[in-house]
Amino acid sequence: MQTDLRGRDLISTQDWTREEIETLLDVARDLKRRRALGEPHALLRDKVLMLLFFFSSTRTRASFEAGIAQLGGHGEFIESSTTQISHGDTAREIGEILGRYGDGIAIRQCDWGVGNQYIRDVAEASRVPILNMQCELYHPFQILADLLTIQEKKGPDLRGRKIAVSWAYASSYQKPISVPQSLILLMTRFGMDVTLAHPPEYSLVPEIVEQAHTNANQHGGSLEIVHDMDAAFTNADVVYPKSWGCMLTTSDHEESRKIGEKYSDWICDERRMALAAEDAIYMHCLPADRGIEVTDAVLDGPQSVVYDEAENRLHVQKAAMALTMR
Ligand code: CP
C-alpha cells in the first residue's frame, strides 16, 4: 500500500499508480464504513478546501462540501463568475493566492481546449494539492466512484468482466467527453474488458485511446471499439451508456445537433438491457436526459445502481482529501 500521498495533485487517474489508487479505494471503504457507524473521522480539522467552479454542478459540489465538513474542515464555494477572473486574475494568481488561503484547491473547468491546461497551470503555481472536479478531458472522481461501485457489486477482481462504455443520444447539450475517456483509462488498468461503442463522429481523443490500449496491455484487460450499441451491450456485466459531444468532428453547434439526430435510436432501453448479462448493472454519472438517453424503466429499474454511484462520490473524494490534504 502506497501511503505517501500528502500534497499530491489528482488531475487524471493516470497521475497516480495503480497501487496509489488502491490505497485511495481502501481509505474510501474505511471512511464509508465509519460514516455508516456514526464514528467521528475529523481527519482534516480546520483545513479549508477551495472549490472553484466554472460550470454548474449538483453532485460534485454537494459531495465535496459535505465531505470536507465530515472530515472536520470547511469548503469554500467560489463561482468563477463572481470572481475577478474575467477581469484578469490568471491561473498562476489563482494558484498562488488560493493556495495561501486554503489547504487544497478543487476546480471544475470544462471549456474545450482550455480546462485541463488551466487546472495544470493552477497546480504549477499552487503550494497545496489540486483536485480535478472535471475538465474537458477527465472526470477522475466520477470514475473512481464508478470503480468502487463496480467492485462493490461485482467483487474486487474485475479481470474478465466486460463493461460497455457506449455513446447514447441526448438533446440537451453537447456533454463533455471526460467521462468515457476516464472510464476507458481506468477500467483497463483494473483488467476489465472494455467495449467502447459510438457512432463514427463521436470518437475520443486518439492519444487517450492509445493510452487506454497501453493500460490494457499492461494490466491484462482489453479495449475494443465498435460502432454498434447492441454489440457493446451483448453479454456485458456493466453497461455505462451516456451521451457526449462530437467535439473532435465539429465545433459548430448546429452541425453537432444535426449529427446527433441521426443517432436518436441510441437509447438505453429494456430491449438493450436484455442483451447484457442477466445480472448486469446499469450505470450513469447523471444528470441523464430521461426518455432520450435512457428510459425511466431502466434508470429507475432493478439493475440501475446510479444512486450508489452518486453516493460513492462522497467516499472517494473524502479519501482523496484525507490522503492529500493532511
Ligand atoms: N456526475 C456529476 O459530475 O454530476 P454534477 O455535474 O451534478 O456535479
Side-chain angles (χ1 to χ4, degrees):
M1 178 183 280
Q2 295 297 319
T3 56
D4 183 20
L5 294 161
R6 187 175 183 173
R8 287 278 297 279
D9 301 326
L10 209 170
I11 297 174
S12 162
T13 53
Q14 289 292 125
D15 302 337
W16 286 30
T17 66
R18 180 171 154 162
E19 203 175 341
E20 289 167 344
I21 290 170
E22 281 169 350
T23 300
L24 186 151
L25 294 172
D26 196 54
V27 172
R29 285 185 203 97
D30 183 49
L31 293 174
K32 185 171 185 175
R33 183 187 61 79
R34 288 163 79 169
R35 177 165 161 74
L37 294 174
E39 283 181 12
H41 46 279
L43 303 170
L44 295 179
R45 196 178 293 285
D46 301 329
K47 303 272 186 177
V48 174
L49 177 70
M50 300 286 170
L51 294 149
L52 176 58
F53 282 89
F54 291 77
F55 282 89
S56 56
S57 164
T58 303
R59 283 144 290 270
T60 305
R61 177 184 175 182
S63 54
F64 264 106
E65 286 192 358
I68 187 68
Q70 290 163 19
L71 291 169
H74 170 72
E76 192 163 318
F77 174 69
I78 307 169
E79 199 172 21
S80 67
S81 62
T82 65
T83 69
Q84 299 279 32
I85 289 173
S86 65
H87 296 155
D89 279 336
T90 65
R92 178 175 178 182
E93 287 158 2
I94 291 294
E96 278 279 2
I97 295 165
L98 297 190
R100 293 179 188 219
Y101 298 156
D103 304 282
I105 306 173
I107 305 173
R108 170 171 281 192
Q109 168 40 300
C110 301
D111 283 340
W112 185 248
V114 173
N116 185 263
Q117 190 59 53
Y118 180 84
I119 294 172
R120 292 202 183 272
D121 288 347
V122 174
E124 184 71 25
S126 166
R127 61 176 66 175
V128 299
I130 301 299
L131 305 177
N132 180 0
M133 296 194 292
Q134 191 180 17
C135 65
E136 82 279 30
L137 300 179
Y138 307 113
H139 198 353
F141 291 104
Q142 178 63 55
I143 272 48
L144 289 164
D146 295 338
L147 177 57
L148 179 60
T149 308
I150 295 170
Q151 288 184 328
E152 287 173 348
K153 306 298 179 192
K154 299 291 174 190
D157 184 357
L158 297 175
R159 285 175 297 179
R161 293 285 193 173
K162 177 178 176 181
I163 178 170
V165 178
S166 177
W167 183 85
Y169 176 62
S171 55
S172 55
Y173 71 108
Q174 292 273 312
K175 303 186 185 193
I177 60 176
S178 49
V179 167
Q181 295 202 146
S182 299
L183 277 169
I184 65 169
L185 285 172
L186 190 60
M187 299 315 163
T188 48
R189 285 176 90 191
F190 280 76
M192 293 193 83
D193 294 326
V194 180
T195 301
L196 173 67
H198 59 75
E201 296 92 336
Y202 290 86
S203 57
L204 303 180
V205 171
E207 292 78 13
I208 289 177
V209 174
E210 192 50 43
Q211 185 61 61
H213 278 296
T214 303
N215 290 350
N217 289 337
Q218 285 174 352
H219 296 282
S222 64
L223 175 63
E224 182 190 14
I225 302 174
V226 299
H227 300 302
D228 180 339
M229 197 172 183
D230 285 1
F233 269 51
T234 301
N235 298 326
D237 300 294
V238 180
V239 297
Y240 203 131
K242 82 169 295 296
S243 191
W244 64 82
C246 50
M247 286 82 162
L248 275 80
T249 298
T250 178
S251 56
D252 184 85
H253 285 291
E254 184 55 19
E255 194 182 349
S256 304
R257 192 186 58 74
K258 283 188 184 151
I259 292 171
E261 282 173 358
K262 290 196 295 180
Y263 304 108
S264 58
D265 59 341
W266 284 57
I267 180 171
C268 182
D269 56 13
E270 286 166 295
R271 182 192 71 77
R272 284 205 163 99
M273 284 304 295
L275 298 173
E278 206 175 339
D279 62 349
I281 54 172
Y282 165 84
M283 303 185 76
H284 196 294
C285 55
L286 302 178
D289 282 27
R290 279 181 177 264
I292 297 172
E293 205 175 345
V294 56
T295 60
D296 288 346
V298 173
L299 189 52
D300 301 325
Q303 289 167 283
S304 174
V305 297
V306 294
Y307 299 125
D308 293 334
E309 225 182 318
E311 180 190 332
N312 281 337
R313 293 290 304 274
L314 175 72
H315 307 302
V316 298
Q317 290 159 197
K318 283 169 71 177
M321 288 188 277
L323 287 163
T324 63
M325 289 171 57
R326 69 196 157 81

